[in-house]
């Protein structure tokens, strides 16, 4: 995950695994990575569109893209 206030030098976000999601909620883009099979945890990031540090978002696996 990229820390808030820091910029990823690759400018690409990879969401992978089972259960990833990309959704728009409260004027923010919410990126949730797939479930980790070892800890059942999911990484989650929220960004205002104007502050999004990524140029591309790559989706791999089974998940959804939605608007709430």
């Amino acid at each position: 995950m990229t820390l808030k206030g820091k910029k990823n030098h690759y400018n690409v976000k990879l969401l992978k695994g089972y259960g990833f999601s990309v959704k728009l909620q409260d004027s923010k883009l919410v990126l949730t990575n797939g479930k980790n099979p070892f800890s059942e945890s999911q990484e989650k990031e929220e960004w205002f569109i104007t502050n999004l540090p990524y140029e591309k978002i790559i989706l791999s696996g089974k998940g959804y893209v939605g608007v709430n």
Side-chain angles (χ1 to χ4, degrees):
M1 281 178 72
T2 302
L3 299 174
K4 289 186 179 181
K6 303 292 181 182
K7 190 165 184 163
N8 187 338
H9 67 282
Y10 293 119
N11 294 334
V12 175
K13 178 66 178 179
L14 172 64
L15 298 178
K16 61 181 173 147
Y18 181 79
F20 70 80
S21 69
V22 177
K23 60 185 175 180
L24 189 60
Q25 185 175 31
D26 299 326
S27 300
K28 291 183 180 179
L29 188 64
V30 180
L31 307 173
T32 306
N33 213 349
K35 291 184 180 177
N36 181 340
F38 301 106
S39 67
E40 292 296 320
S41 66
Q42 289 183 290
E43 295 178 336
K44 185 175 182 180
E45 297 182 40
E46 294 184 9
W47 299 95
F48 285 107
I49 298 298
T50 56
N51 295 337
L52 189 67
Y54 308 114
E55 292 178 10
K56 297 178 183 179
I57 298 173
I58 300 172
L59 309 174
S60 175
K62 295 187 183 244
Y64 70 94
V65 177
V67 177
N68 286 349

